[in-house]
Amino acid sequence: MKTKHLIIFGTRPEAIKMAPLVQEFKKHNDFDTKVCVTAQHREMLDQVLDFFQITPDYDLNLMKPNQNLYTLTADIITGLQPIFDEYQPDFVYVHGDTTTTMAASIASFYSGAKVCHVEAGLRTFNKRSPFPEEINRQVAGRICDFHFAPTIQSKENLLKENIKEDSILVTGNTVIDALLDSSSRVQEIQNAEIEHLKTIVDSEKKMILVTGHRRENHGKGFINICEALKEIATTHPDVQIIYPVHLNPNVQKPVHEILSGIENIHLINPLAYPAFVWLMTQSYVIITDSGGVQEEAPSLGKPVLVMRDTTERPEAVEAGTVILVGTNTAKIVTEANDLLTNTVRYQSMSALHNPYGDGKACERIAEFIKSS
Ligand code: UD1
Ligand code: UDP
């Protein structure tokens, strides 16, 4: 008899990191696997589904413009009930730390299924940073039966919370499964978005790639970030800044108001995964507050300035590829200037590291579930 597996996700990063798990599970004939998307994100989720050729079995289609945490949480929990009633999964998989993760964990627990947390154990132990992600993942950790921790440090965080050791498996991060597969393909595939990017990227110039969206940076944080980018662009007219702007209106507004019309800053729409991976490979430095990008950049040998005060991903900071710069304009500008001009420092920060995985996380998860 086949066991029934329901994989739930809702945002772009969850989709990128769960796509290889969907592909892995589909290889196992003794698994019946279904995919449910909450569509907490819509366009940015669909870009990932298209690239990985995943057609969800269930789509709650929940995203609303400028949505809030209260209604989104409620809609996810109530939206999932009929799906659990119909499919009655044995195992449910949630990922990371979004509202989808937290609300789907609660609904899965109510259903009686075994709940599995992919990317478990990341912690800052500061409940306001990142907000609300730190609490989302702690709630998921409390509920889940099995914990797939990307690194030894994330396993240790779970042990500190008295999670039973035999319910934790260190797997590596599934983002590296996605990245290794995609980064080898992007140099070969014919992709209209990449072709278009080639008309923007000047390979003779150093390029800074920027992304940002964190809720705790909305408002003053984003204004500081944009002021820093403006100063870097003005001081280094020979450097290109390329910024695919997240669709959150709290990000779109300050970014377009402060940075539109500056010649060497290119504000573009969010990119589908292969085009973004290609752009990372072309970049000189990455400035971001993204979790996923912090994990991908060391595997591509790209130094990262992280616009946050805390990180739940200390491994790359310890390896020397990532520096925390917060949202202080002067600090961002100083560190960026240094990387652009100090070759010795740049070289030491751009050594290749793989602290987050070897591309086999999903295989390990499937084997663990079979033996559970
Ligand atoms: C969410 C997650 C965050 C994750 C991030 C990844 C929560 C609370 N936040 O933040 O943990 O790191 O996604 O990007 O779970 N929008 C669109 N189209 C899209 C996506 C978003 O228009 O495809 C706009 C909508 O107006 C939407 C808004 O962005 O209401 C905010 O989306 P939401 O998922 O609530 O927050 P994010 O900032 O994207
Ligand atoms: N990404 C993408 N297109 C973009 C920007 C980012 O596909 O235009 C990918 C990136 O490679 C990474 C993920 O999206 O895998 C990170 O998503 P995000 O920064 O939105 O969320 P976080 O990782 O911070 O939760």
Side-chain angles (χ1 to χ4, degrees):
M1 219 188 45
K2 291 188 178 194
T3 46
K4 294 204 274 181
H5 303 263
L6 183 64
I7 300 181
I8 304 179
F9 49 88
T11 64
R12 167 173 71 191
E14 294 166 82
I16 291 168
K17 292 168 166 183
M18 287 298 230
L21 192 70
V22 175
Q23 289 171 336
E24 173 66 29
F25 277 22
K26 297 273 184 193
K27 291 184 207 156
H28 294 262
N29 293 331
D30 47 349
F31 282 13
D32 182 74
T33 303
K34 289 201 190 296
V35 172
C36 171
V37 295
T38 62
Q40 170 178 339
H41 283 174
R42 187 71 274 173
E43 301 88 333
M44 286 160 56
L45 172 74
D46 291 343
Q47 285 181 315
V48 184
L49 296 174
D50 285 350
F51 174 61
F52 288 98
Q53 299 184 313
I54 294 171
T55 307
D57 299 279
Y58 304 102
D59 188 338
L60 300 183
N61 197 22
L62 290 179
M63 196 196 85
K64 295 192 180 76
N66 217 357
Q67 62 207 359
N68 70 66
L69 297 174
Y70 304 88
T71 52
L72 181 62
T73 302
D75 290 347
I76 294 169
I77 295 177
T78 50
L80 285 172
Q81 184 189 353
I83 294 165
F84 285 119
D85 290 348
E86 180 188 305
Y87 184 50
Q88 306 208 349
D90 301 300
F91 296 89
V92 183
Y93 301 80
V94 296
H95 181 278
D97 54 21
T98 68
T99 298
T100 291
T101 318
M102 181 271 293
S105 305
I106 293 172
S108 310
F109 169 62
Y110 293 158
S111 82
K114 291 252 185 265
V115 198
C116 309
H117 193 194
V118 181
E119 197 182 85
L122 276 64
R123 296 288 184 269
T124 58
F125 296 107
N126 175 344
K127 71 180 179 184
R128 297 266 157 210
S129 176
F131 173 87
E133 289 83 2
E134 176 68 13
I135 289 300
N136 286 344
R137 58 196 175 213
Q138 290 196 23
V139 170
R142 188 49 48 218
I143 287 173
C144 284
D145 298 281
F146 298 121
H147 310 262
F148 299 116
T151 63
I152 305 273
Q153 294 205 31
S154 44
K155 174 178 173 174
E156 281 167 1
N157 289 336
L158 292 168
L159 293 174
K160 277 186 219 152
E161 292 176 1
N162 295 323
I163 304 282
K164 284 202 274 167
E165 187 159 12
D166 62 2
S167 70
I168 308 171
L169 179 72
V170 176
T171 58
N173 198 306
T174 59
V175 78
I176 304 301
D177 300 28
L179 179 70
L180 295 184
D181 176 43
S182 308
S183 55
S184 54
R185 282 198 283 150
V186 292
Q187 305 303 341
E188 296 146 26
I189 51 172
Q190 276 300 317
N191 180 296
E193 239 180 354
I194 297 177
E195 292 311 310
H196 176 64
L197 286 172
K198 285 181 184 167
T199 66
I200 301 175
V201 175
D202 181 343
S203 56
E204 304 291 308
K205 293 183 173 168
K206 289 177 181 165
M207 187 257 283
I208 301 178
L209 175 60
V210 180
T211 77
H213 66 84
R214 295 245 82 85
R215 215 164 260 262
E216 66 274 14
N217 289 346
H218 292 175
K220 183 80 175 96
F222 262 96
I223 293 170
N224 292 349
I225 289 167
C226 292
E227 294 296 346
L229 295 173
K230 195 171 168 179
E231 193 171 332
I232 296 164
T234 318
T235 325
H236 300 275
D238 51 332
V239 167
Q240 280 191 308
I241 297 181
I242 303 194
Y243 184 170
V245 188
H246 193 289
L247 294 179
N248 192 322
N250 298 300
V251 178
Q252 288 273 330
K253 191 166 177 286
V255 168
H256 284 281
E257 278 177 6
I258 301 171
L259 298 178
S260 286
I262 299 173
E263 202 181 343
N264 53 338
I265 300 187
H266 303 267
L267 303 179
I268 58 175
N269 286 327
L271 292 163
Y273 193 56
F276 188 75
V277 170
W278 182 83
L279 206 51
M280 283 195 288
T281 65
Q282 303 303 303
S283 68
Y284 191 72
V285 175
I286 301 178
I287 305 185
T288 188
D289 65 17
S290 161
V293 176
Q294 282 179 67
E295 293 156 345
E296 293 161 333
S299 295
L300 300 171
K302 301 297 173 182
V304 186
L305 302 182
V306 174
M307 299 179 293
R308 293 178 48 185
D309 299 321
T310 56
T311 182
E312 56 287 292
R313 294 167 172 89
E315 296 84 355
V317 179
E318 282 155 21
T321 30
V322 163
I323 305 178
L324 292 183
V325 290
T327 55
N328 178 299
T329 305
K331 175 95 173 142
I332 299 171
V333 171
T334 304
E335 293 293 351
N337 283 345
D338 195 44
L339 277 171
L340 289 168
T341 52
N342 181 339
T343 316
V344 175
R345 178 140 181 262
Y346 180 84
Q347 277 165 357
S348 76
M349 275 189 75
S350 57
L352 275 181
H353 290 287
N354 259 333
Y356 297 110
D358 61 0
K360 294 188 170 37
C362 296
E363 275 174 47
R364 294 189 183 101
I365 293 172
E367 287 316 313
F368 180 92
I369 290 295
K370 283 188 182 196
S371 63
S372 71

